[in-house]
């Protein structure tokens, strides 16, 4: 029972973290229709910025500064790269961000080396929050979840309760109309892109200390973030939240399941048939944990391409 | 360029390729095999991305499936019977076709970003499953096979493998080229230009897209098969996202608008990788920078530059065309030299060894680079790249001015609408 509870909690918190990274991406995607391949790179940048600043200003300020710096990089990318190729069409923008993600990863390798750096949770935050049975639960994990929830609440409030939010949503759904009404849509794009990058940077700064900070962390998260945006639905924050938590929980639980499809078929008396076929049918669910999100993504793309909570295109 | 010129150029290119084994060392010949395979893969990819306008982010899937199928066939037939070694890429083709048919059936129902995401999901699915399916993909260690003698050839030497690869690549490129001339190939172009209109004209847009997908994955499978024959082994890493990424980068750097653009881009990039990866660890950074620069300033790809130069000559005379091209080339070289200098200096400054050395000595020892030693603390060191970049900027500005000077409509627009002129 304890293990299931811990797995569930870990899954939820991992999902919340994934949400932090994908929130900016889903907004940009909804607004510009462009999947930003470099988005997960901002997550990595956040971790590296925080790692570098930590020794100078301390952990807390470093996290905040890292998020701001990642946001600044994001603004620069929108202003000097994406906007320049906008008139070539979506495919071009997508390819450009793809190239940028390459450059960012390689620059990190150049400056910090191709190995994990020593960025860890500060001693003042490294204690157990509670213990259940024989296991203890680190407080930092809860903190990560708390940051993500606070971020979701702030973002939601900003988008639905303020004037800025009205303009942003207008620019997302009806950019031309918003422009005709005298709003500077270019500025809104730049702002949303920057805020998205800053959120990803914040997630990186917070999570990098707990997991490892290495030059491949963008790749590890990158694909999963696309899965979330696609499963959640174009530009839907709620969808991104739902998909993140769903995927976090599913993968976390699947790791603990020591059964295969053949065991399931045994209820129908088809175990020997399934074992005879072998391959997929005899693989344990735990070894398929990495595969499940992609199966989910394919299913959603085929059955409901607008995603779980996306608007009808 | 007239038809006879094109044929002459093509003929001499093929003759050069055929003569390569006599000219090159074994190591370079092996690199040439890689270049040929990469060129075929890029051409297969750009049939889909360039001709059909369907951006796939998971083409490693079909390449990898072709490689594994070929290896299994190598083990099963042992070079005898129906499939002697030279015909083995047919297995790769068939496997690529089959998997492409299944994946493409679903993927081509959508277009744009959704299409790209489906191909990405399929490739990632295979990549995450492959290490688990030991029977098919040999787990983490992969599977291996031996090239068996056939048709009086032993396939023991690199030269024989080179000719086998060359024959298959040339045949495949010819077939890919003629695909563009067939009615189906023209319809594929129409799909890129306007899928809705194609539908209204009564064509089956999904079928056209699927056909492009299947042909593309079939030739990607051949490329994978050739790779398997060359390496005699493969593991699940061929499904890696970096393989899919490389083919996208190669094709677009070369230019998907022209037929041979992707092939040249892939050959160039593979050769650079071979030549430069020993000299510097920042090779991938240069590749990424090149890609971003091409995307921003030469959206038609490097081969598109030739077309742009030809149009400039037609419009403004050869004198101006030559001087502007020369200025641009020199400016590019200067800029590249400056950037390479900075990157290499940074790489050495940030390396583990150097930092340990600096911490131990308490000072910053000079760095050996390009046959000289540069003290990192001195202004003179950093003036070198600054000067190179300044010269590049100045030359670029001069070239731009020469282009803009008397009444000529929008030189930049000319570079952009090369896309139409090329296809």
């Amino acid at each position: 029972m304890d293990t299931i509870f811990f797995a569930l909690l870990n899954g939820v918190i991992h999902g919340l973290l994934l949400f932090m990274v994908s929130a900016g991406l889903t907004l940009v995607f909804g607004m510009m229709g462009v999947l930003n391949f470099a988005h997960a790179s901002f997550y990595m940048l956040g971790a590296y910025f925080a790692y570098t600043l930590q020794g100078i200003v301390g952990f807390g300020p470093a996290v905040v500064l890292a998020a701001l710096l990642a946001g600044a990089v994001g603004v620069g990318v929108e202003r000097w790269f994406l906007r320049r190729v906008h008139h070539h069409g979506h495919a071009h923008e997508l390819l450009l961000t793809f190239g940028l993600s390459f450059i960012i990863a390689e620059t990190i390798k150049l400056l910090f080396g191709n190995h994990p750096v020593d960025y860890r949770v500060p001693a003042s935050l490294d204690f157990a929050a509670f213990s259940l049975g024989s296991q203890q639960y680190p407080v930092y994990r809860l903190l990560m979840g708390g940051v993500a929830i606070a971020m979701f609440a702030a973002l939601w409030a900003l988008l639905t309760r303020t004037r800025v939010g009205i303009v942003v949503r207008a620019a997302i759904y009806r950019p031309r109309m918003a422009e005709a009404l005298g709003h500077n849509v270019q500025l809104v794009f730049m702002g949303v892109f920057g805020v998205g990058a800053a959120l990803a940077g914040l997630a990186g700064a917070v999570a990098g200390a707990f997991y490892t900070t290495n030059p491949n962390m963008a790749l590890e998260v990158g694909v999963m973030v696309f899965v979330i945006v696609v499963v959640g639905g174009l530009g839907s924050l709620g969808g991104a939240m739902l998909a993140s938590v769903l995927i976090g929980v599913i993968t976390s639980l699947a790791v603990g399941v020591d059964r295969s499809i053949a065991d399931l078929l045994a209820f129908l008396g088809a175990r020997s048939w399934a074992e005879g076929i072998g391959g997929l049918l005899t693989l344990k669910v735990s070894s398929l944990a990495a595969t499940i999100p992609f199966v989910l993504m394919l299913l959603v793309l085929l059955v409901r391409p607008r995603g779980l909570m996306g608007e009808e295109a | 360029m007239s038809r006879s010129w094109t044929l002459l150029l093509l003929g001499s290119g093929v003759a050069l390729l055929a003569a390569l084994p006599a000219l090159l060392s074994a190591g370079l010949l092996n690199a040439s095999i890689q270049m040929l395979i990469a060129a075929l893969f890029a051409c297969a990819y750009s049939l889909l991305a360039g001709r059909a306008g369907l951006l796939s982010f998971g083409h490693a899937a079909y390449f990898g499936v072709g490689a594994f199928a070929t290896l299994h066939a190598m083990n099963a037939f042992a070079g005898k019977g129906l499939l002697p070694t030279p015909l083995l890429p047919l297995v790769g083709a068939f496997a690529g076709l089959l998997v492409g048919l299944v994946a493409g059936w679903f993927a081509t129902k959508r277009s744009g970003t959704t299409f790209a995401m489906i191909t990405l999901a399929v490739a990632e699915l295979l990549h995450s499953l492959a290490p688990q399916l030991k029977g098919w993909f040999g787990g983490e260690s992969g599977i291996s096979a031996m090239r068996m003698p056939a048709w009086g050839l032993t396939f023991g030497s690199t030269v024989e493998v080179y000719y086998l690869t060359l024959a298959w690549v040339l045949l495949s490129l010819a077939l890919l080229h003629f695909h563009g001339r067939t009615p189906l190939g023209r319809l594929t172009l129409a799909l890129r230009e306007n899928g809705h209109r194609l539908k209204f004209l009564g064509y089956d847009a999904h079928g056209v897209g699927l056909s492009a997908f299947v042909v593309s994955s079939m030739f990607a499978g051949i490329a994978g098969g050739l790779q398997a024959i060359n390496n005699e082994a493969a593991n699940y890493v061929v499904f890696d996202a970096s393989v899919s990424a490389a083919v996208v980068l190669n094709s677009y750097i070369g230019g998907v608008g022209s037929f041979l653009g992707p092939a040249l881009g892939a050959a160039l990039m593979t050769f650079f990788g071979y030549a430069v990866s020993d000299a510097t660890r920042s090779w991938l950074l240069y590749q990424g920078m090149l890609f971003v620069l091409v995307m921003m300033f030469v959206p038609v790809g490097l081969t598109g530059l030739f077309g742009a130069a030809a149009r400039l000559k037609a419009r403004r005379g050869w004198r101006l065309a030559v001087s502007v091209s020369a200025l641009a080339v020199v400016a590019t070289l200067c800029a590249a030299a400056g950037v390479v200098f900075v990157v290499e200096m940074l790489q050495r400054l940030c390396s583990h060894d150097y930092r340990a050395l600096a911490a131990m000595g308490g000072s910053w020892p000079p760095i050996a680079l390009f046959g000289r030693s540069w003290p990192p603390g001195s202004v003179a060191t950093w003036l070198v790249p600054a000067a190179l970049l300044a010269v590049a900027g100045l030359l670029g500005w001069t070239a731009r001015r020469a282009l803009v000077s008397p009444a000529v409509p929008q030189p930049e627009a000319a570079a952009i609408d090369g896309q139409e002129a090329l296809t």
Side-chain angles (χ1 to χ4, degrees), chain B residues 40-41 108 142 205 303 351 402:
Chain B
L40 173 58
F41 189 23
T108 51
T303 45
S351 74

Side-chain angles (χ1 to χ4, degrees), chain A residues 20-67:
Chain A
M20 272 215 271
V21 188
S22 39
L25 184 64
T26 195
L27 283 181
V28 172
F29 186 34
M31 193 159 75
M32 306 178 176
V34 184
L35 263 190
N36 174 15
F37 263 82
H39 193 78
S41 304
F42 296 122
Y43 168 77
M44 178 163 73
L45 277 181
Y48 273 92
F49 282 143
Y51 161 69
T52 317
L53 292 168
Q54 176 188 227
I56 308 168
V57 293
F59 183 75
V63 167
V64 176
L65 271 179

Side-chain angles (χ1 to χ4, degrees), chain A residues 35 80-81 84 88 92 94-96 98-99 102-103 106 110-111 283 287-288 291 294-295 297 301-302 305, chain B residues 57 106 110 114 117-118 124-125 128-129 132 245 248 252 282 284 289 291-292 295-297 299 347 350:
Chain A
L35 263 190
W80 284 294
F81 290 90
R84 282 196 62 129
H88 292 319
H92 231 85
L94 207 145
L95 286 166
L96 184 82
F98 184 57
F102 237 74
I103 293 187
E106 292 302 320
L110 182 81
L111 298 179
L283 281 180
S287 64
L288 292 177
T291 311
F294 301 113
V295 177
M297 173 174 172
L301 277 169
L302 297 174
Chain B
F57 276 109
F106 297 109
R110 319 266 175 226
T114 317
M117 285 298 106
I118 294 180
E124 286 297 323
L125 198 65
S128 61
L129 269 181
Q132 318 290 343
V248 178
Y252 277 86
S282 320
L284 287 169
M289 282 183 182
F291 177 74
V292 167
M295 282 292 107
M296 286 184 72
F297 299 106
Q347 188 212 310
C350 296

